């Protein structure tokens, strides 16, 4: 039933549209404009000058941060996918229905705890006199300095992303047709081979989307690199906060932010293409 | 489900189960530690534990800035929850009922904001809101939080609407009810659990959001922004006390939402059992 636009319909559909246009699309569009503004005597003025783009792209520190951020986020996505898979696999295939429901409920809890508090908590574990070093000391090992290393950043990234990756993987695994697995077993396909040739290809879309979300989350996170990684090496997110908070260089921060959005869009596009490429076999090329 | 018949190797089964436990241990270790050390006397927490103490809670409770932050967080969270739920309901109903040109774009606007990194949203919001003289106030945080919270409300309510018999609404019209009356007597009562679920979830999301709030709040800091301040400056176990307190509030909201969403969903949920 198709109807003309009615007052009734607009009452429900318009408010969100207006809000997101005003406060989501406009700010992002304004960011584009802002990146062409100039700063003179500590005040910003509207302009159309590519100077910020030229300055930022000409800075070695920017490209170093860019490389670091991409490398960290990519490793985090790979690591989170590998670490999460056995867990989501086991929850899907080795737990009873009610145990699975509990497992899912428990995995949702971290989303409603403060990420900052969890990062501070990791400082307690990883500091020089922290819990991990004390335990290692009982075995005559250490102490190792673990805080302010890329490894600590990675621990923070896993804290941030692992619950989401596990849940997303879980939801793709649950919907696998189990008769496929049984068929593979009946044809004497080995356990691991079944996982790699039946389970993973069937859940491919979900697994790639999970990795993509991990990339998005860690790519923009500034808390772990600062408070666990010690701020060194610098990531793009640290560069944004420093550039924004330390004065009127917002146009330059806008350049960094837009570069990040561009990168994320490209990564998301490639990931989605890769995820669905296997689905239409032969259709590719 | 007959998955038991598929795999029989006990050693593999048990090591996979052990792996589940390990994964959950990793995820919950920082949450549990924060709770334990909030009740511990040491200034620089580690093991062995010091003695039991409430000093961090007392320190937090006697800090007027924390109370002010908590007040801001609560007021902002409630307002954000209400607005997000209203907008999300409208969008969910639009998606459920109407087909129109550009619907994909509409849905993208309704669902995409949480996937933009908060730090970029923070910067964009700060730049835009200060341009229209709305930055550095409580309302700035509200505006920004609704942008990222409304999609959650929309998703939750949309899920409930998808469980509704599509013939229900036309049936009410055929019986002479106006669209508005149908909305009031059929749709809203049916989606009520999801509406309250969405309200509590969006409040909880707003309670914990610190990055955008940090950028736009100015002097009206919310509690999570305060925690960020503690992390930057005088790191102390007070963070644990605040964290535990906020955790209790958030979990109360989430559990309330959970009870509402699963407890009285009617025949659809019961059919699956």
């Amino acid at each position: 039933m198709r109807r003309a636009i009615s007052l009734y319909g607009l009452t429900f559909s318009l408010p969100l549209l207006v809000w997101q246009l005003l406060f989501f699309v406009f700010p992002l569009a304004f960011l584009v404009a802002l990146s062409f503004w100039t700063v003179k005597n500590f005040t910003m003025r509207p302009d159309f000058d590519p100077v910020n783009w030229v300055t930022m792209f000409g800075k070695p520190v920017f490209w170093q941060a860019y490389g670091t951020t991409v490398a960290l986020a990519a490793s985090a996505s790979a690591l989170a996918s590998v670490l999460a898979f056995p867990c989501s696999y086991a929850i899907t295939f080795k737990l009873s229905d009610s145990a699975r429901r509990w497992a899912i409920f428990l995995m949702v809890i971290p989303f409603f705890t403060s990420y900052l508090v969890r990062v501070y908590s990791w400082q307690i574990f990883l500091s020089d006199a922290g819990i991990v070093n004390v335990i290692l000391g009982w075995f005559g090992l250490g102490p190792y300095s673990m805080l302010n290393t890329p490894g600590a950043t990675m621990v923070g990234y896993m804290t941030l992303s692992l619950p989401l990756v596990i849940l997303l993987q879980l939801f793709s695994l649950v919907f696998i047709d189990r008769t496929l697995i049984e068929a593979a077993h009946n044809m004497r396909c080995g356990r691991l081979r079944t996982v790699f040739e039946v389970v993973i290809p069937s859940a491919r879309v979900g697994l790639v989307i999970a990795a993509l979300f991990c990339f998005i989350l860690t790519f923009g996170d500034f808390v772990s690199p600062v408070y666990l990684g010690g701020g060194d090496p610098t990531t793009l997110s640290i560069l944004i906060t420093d550039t924004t908070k330390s004065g009127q260089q917002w146009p330059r921060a806008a350049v960094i932010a837009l570069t990040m959005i561009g990168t994320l869009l490209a990564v998301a596009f490639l990931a989605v293409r890769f995820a669905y490429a296997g689905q239409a076999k032969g259709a590719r090329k | 489900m007959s998955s038991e018949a598929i795999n029989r190797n006990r050693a593999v089964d048990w090591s996979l189960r052990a792996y589940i436990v390990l994964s959950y241990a990793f995820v919950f270790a920082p949450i549990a530690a924060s709770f334990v050390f909030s009740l511990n006397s040491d200034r620089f927490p580690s093991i062995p534990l010091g003695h039991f103490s409430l000093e961090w809670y007392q320190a937090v409770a006697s800090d007027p800035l924390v109370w002010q932050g908590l007040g801001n967080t609560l007021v902002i969270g409630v307002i954000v929850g209400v607005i997000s739920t209203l907008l999300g309901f409208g969008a969910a109903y639009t998606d459920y009922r109407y087909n129109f040109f550009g619907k994909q774009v509409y849905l993208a606007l309704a669902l995409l904001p949480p996937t933009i990194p908060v730090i970029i949203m923070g910067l964009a919001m700060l730049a835009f809101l200060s341009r229209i003289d709305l930055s550095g106030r409580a309302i700035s945080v509200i505006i920004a939080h609704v942008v990222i919270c409304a999609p959650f409300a929309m998703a939750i309510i949309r899920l409930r609407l998808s469980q509704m018999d599509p013939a229900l609404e036309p049936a009410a019209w055929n019986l002479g009810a106006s669209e508005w009356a149908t909305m009031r007597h059929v749709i809203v009562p049916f989606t009520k659990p999801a509406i309250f679920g969405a309200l509590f979830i969006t409040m909880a999301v707003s309670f914990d959001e610190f990055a955008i709030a940090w950028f736009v709040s100015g002097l009206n800091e919310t509690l999570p922004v305060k925690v960020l301040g503690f992390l930057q400056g005088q790191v102390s176990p007070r963070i644990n006390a605040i964290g535990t307190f906020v955790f209790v509030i958030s979990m109360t909201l989430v559990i309330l939402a959970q009870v509402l969403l699963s407890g009285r969903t009617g025949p659809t949920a019961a059919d699956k059992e």
Side-chain angles (χ1 to χ4, degrees):
Chain A
M1 136 190 24
R2 285 186 149 253
R3 294 185 178 211
I5 294 163
S6 65
L7 173 71
Y8 173 79
L10 291 180
T11 312
F12 294 99
S13 48
L14 265 192
L16 180 103
L17 185 68
V18 170
W19 194 284
Q20 299 300 48
L21 276 180
L22 270 182
F23 301 120
F24 178 61
V25 177
F26 281 14
L28 288 180
F30 180 62
L31 215 52
V32 179
L34 183 69
S35 72
F36 291 100
W37 287 19
T38 48
V39 179
K40 295 218 171 71
N41 301 326
F42 303 103
T43 46
M44 288 184 291
R45 61 175 72 170
D47 207 336
F48 192 78
D49 192 335
V51 63
N52 304 302
W53 290 88
V54 175
T55 316
M56 285 316 289
F57 282 9
K59 278 188 178 182
V61 63
F62 173 77
W63 292 110
Q64 172 268 321
Y66 189 85
T68 307
T69 315
V70 171
L72 278 175
S75 339
S77 315
L79 187 66
S81 298
V82 171
L83 287 178
F85 186 77
C87 181
S88 34
Y89 176 86
I91 293 175
T92 313
F93 295 110
K94 304 293 173 194
L95 293 185
S96 67
D97 281 359
S98 68
R100 187 177 319 121
R101 263 198 295 272
W102 273 103
I104 292 173
F105 174 72
L106 283 176
M107 237 342 132
V108 173
I109 292 180
F111 291 96
F112 299 100
T113 63
S114 164
Y115 175 45
L116 291 170
V117 172
R118 283 182 287 159
V119 161
Y120 170 66
S121 214
W122 276 118
Q123 289 187 348
I124 300 176
F125 279 93
L126 298 176
S127 66
D128 287 348
I131 296 174
V132 175
N133 270 323
V134 170
I135 293 176
L136 286 176
W138 294 343
F139 301 98
L141 297 168
Y144 300 102
S145 79
M146 289 174 282
L147 213 54
N148 303 334
T149 62
T153 306
M154 209 46 83
V155 169
Y157 281 166
M158 291 305 114
T159 309
L160 178 66
S161 60
L162 211 51
L164 183 65
V165 174
I166 290 179
L167 284 177
L168 289 175
Q169 289 191 348
L170 202 58
F171 291 137
S172 64
L173 289 173
V174 170
F175 289 110
I176 292 182
D177 186 353
R178 280 166 195 252
T179 53
L180 284 178
I181 299 171
E182 264 172 83
H185 276 276
N186 290 342
M187 293 196 272
R188 313 232 170 248
C189 179
R191 183 184 304 276
L192 267 180
R193 207 173 145 210
T194 310
V195 170
F196 282 103
E197 297 196 0
V198 179
V199 177
I200 291 183
S202 314
R204 177 175 175 159
V205 174
L207 300 184
V208 175
I209 298 296
L212 172 64
F213 269 95
C214 177
F215 190 92
I216 295 175
L217 279 180
T218 53
F219 192 72
D221 177 41
F222 70 98
V223 174
S224 284
V226 174
Y227 300 108
L228 291 173
D232 187 44
T234 309
T235 63
L236 289 179
S237 47
I238 298 178
L239 222 50
I240 288 196
T241 48
D242 285 357
T243 315
T244 315
K245 292 278 173 181
S246 67
Q248 285 291 321
Q249 278 302 345
W250 291 1
R252 288 191 188 169
V255 170
I256 306 172
L258 291 170
T259 315
M260 288 175 80
I261 292 185
T263 309
L264 284 177
L265 283 178
V267 170
F269 177 76
L270 289 175
V272 170
R273 228 177 100 131
F274 173 70
Y276 288 98
Q279 292 229 318
K281 281 202 185 91
R284 200 164 131 213
K285 283 182 199 151
Chain B
M1 270 168 226
S2 61
S3 58
E4 274 71 32
I6 299 174
N7 279 324
R8 289 159 298 259
N9 189 327
R10 290 194 152 215
V12 174
D13 283 10
W14 282 108
S15 44
L16 278 172
R17 289 209 181 96
Y19 189 83
I20 299 182
V21 173
L22 266 181
S23 312
Y24 278 75
F26 174 81
V27 169
F28 283 93
I31 300 169
S34 149
F35 173 68
V36 170
F37 287 111
S38 74
L39 295 167
N40 180 44
S41 61
D42 294 337
R43 170 74 177 80
F44 296 100
S46 185
I47 49 174
L49 294 174
H51 56 85
F52 177 87
S53 153
L54 287 175
E55 63 182 296
W56 306 116
Y57 288 92
Q58 282 156 358
V60 165
S62 60
D63 184 345
L65 288 175
V66 167
W67 283 108
Q68 194 198 329
L70 178 66
N72 282 333
T73 309
L74 289 173
V75 171
I76 290 171
V78 169
I79 299 176
V80 167
V82 171
I83 301 179
S84 306
T85 306
L86 288 175
L87 296 181
F89 177 85
Y93 180 71
T94 306
D95 178 33
Y96 164 79
R97 162 114 190 252
Y98 297 102
N99 259 322
F100 51 92
F101 178 73
K103 187 170 175 184
Q104 293 300 326
V105 178
Y106 183 84
L107 290 180
L109 275 184
L111 292 171
L112 272 185
T115 62
I116 301 287
V118 281
I119 191 150
I120 296 176
M121 285 297 294
L123 172 64
M125 282 291 173
L126 172 64
F128 179 74
L129 292 177
S130 46
R131 195 67 196 155
I132 55 175
D133 268 334
L134 272 178
S135 87
R137 304 195 222 155
I139 192 167
S140 338
V141 185
I142 294 174
I143 289 174
H145 277 184
V146 169
V147 170
I148 55 163
C149 287
F152 290 102
M154 143 107 185
I156 292 168
I157 296 170
R158 181 69 188 79
L159 198 67
R160 178 67 177 154
L161 278 172
S162 70
Q163 297 170 343
M164 192 166 87
D165 186 343
L168 217 52
E169 203 182 14
W173 300 333
N174 288 343
L175 292 171
S178 70
E179 283 183 318
W180 291 103
T182 311
M183 170 59 70
R184 195 174 146 212
H185 296 289
V186 178
I187 313 241
V188 169
F190 186 85
T191 45
K192 209 181 219 169
I195 291 173
F196 281 99
L199 182 68
F200 294 138
I201 296 287
T202 48
M203 271 157 67
V205 171
S206 169
F207 280 157
D208 282 332
E209 205 292 319
F210 60 89
I212 300 177
W214 180 44
F215 272 91
V216 302
S217 62
L219 294 174
N220 291 293
E221 292 186 338
T222 60
L223 202 51
V225 178
K226 213 114 248 164
V227 172
L228 190 66
F230 279 133
L231 263 178
Q232 287 164 332
Q234 358 101 324
V235 169
S236 95
R238 273 186 283 179
I239 294 175
N240 289 328
I242 299 180
T244 303
F245 179 69
V246 173
F247 177 69
V248 171
I249 297 185
S250 299
M251 279 322 292
T252 312
L253 290 169
V254 173
I255 289 169
L256 274 175
Q258 179 75 15
V259 168
L260 284 166
L261 286 171
S262 65
R264 309 194 318 167
T265 37
T268 21
D271 286 348
K272 284 187 202 148
E273 298 297 307

